[in-house]
Amino acid sequence: MLTFELAGALYGLEVEQVQEVLRAQKVTRVPLHSAAIAGLINLRGEVVTAIDLRARLSLPPRPEGQDAVNIVVRLHGESISLLVDSIADVVELDDRSFEPVPDTLDGEVRDLLRGAYKTEGRLLLALDVQRAVAG
């Protein structure tokens, strides 16, 4: 699992979904889009939608001057960039440490997370990439 940080929390997504990881890229804003759509980036000639995961998960905006890292995922033949704060690591996790999202957690974030892995000292929130890019 590729792990990354957003607003101080640890998240992860399946490595098989990741095409590549890139430093901050120039994002071209597009009008009339949802707040989660940061804009478009030119990825070696391919126009790719950039989704700000902070906005998508209703987290506070990234502090001024902090560049986002792009995790480019490939879904249904299309590349999509997920903007995160930083990359943490690639880890193997024991399925026995996984728990689905608790019933007490509601709202849109419940739909965007598959669950949580109990890791040493903190929880790793497993992102449902399909749903995160669908909104």
Side-chain angles (χ1 to χ4, degrees), residues 45-107:
E46 179 183 6
V47 177
V48 172
T49 300
I51 296 174
D52 186 341
L53 281 185
R54 275 184 174 252
R56 185 72 179 104
L57 295 169
S58 300
L59 296 170
R62 189 167 292 102
E64 191 78 23
Q66 180 183 359
D67 288 333
V69 176
N70 294 264
I71 300 175
V72 180
V73 297
R74 191 122 186 121
L75 294 173
H76 311 296
E78 183 178 356
S79 298
I80 300 167
S81 176
L82 305 175
L83 304 182
V84 303
D85 294 351
S86 63
I87 300 297
D89 208 347
V90 175
V91 296
E92 277 194 43
L93 298 165
D94 187 339
D95 287 341
R96 292 175 293 185
S97 69
F98 180 81
E99 290 194 20
V101 177
D103 292 336
T104 52
L105 187 63
D106 60 0

Side-chain angles (χ1 to χ4, degrees), residues 27-31 33 37-40:
V27 176
T28 300
R29 305 260 180 227
V30 290
H33 58 77
I37 303 296
L40 303 173

Side-chain angles (χ1 to χ4, degrees), residues 13-57:
L13 56 87
E14 299 298 328
V15 170
E16 295 80 17
Q17 297 174 306
V18 178
Q19 177 177 316
E20 62 189 300
V21 175
L22 304 167
R23 290 187 211 165
Q25 301 290 306
K26 182 179 179 186
V27 176
T28 300
R29 305 260 180 227
V30 290
L32 304 174
H33 58 77
S34 73
I37 303 296
L40 303 173
I41 64 172
N42 182 349
L43 181 62
R44 294 180 297 278
E46 179 183 6
V47 177
V48 172
T49 300
I51 296 174
D52 186 341
L53 281 185
R54 275 184 174 252
R56 185 72 179 104
L57 295 169

Side-chain angles (χ1 to χ4, degrees), residues 98-117:
F98 180 81
E99 290 194 20
V101 177
D103 292 336
T104 52
L105 187 63
D106 60 0
E108 188 175 15
V109 73
R110 180 178 171 77
D111 295 332
L112 301 178
L113 297 177
R114 293 188 304 106
Y117 287 92

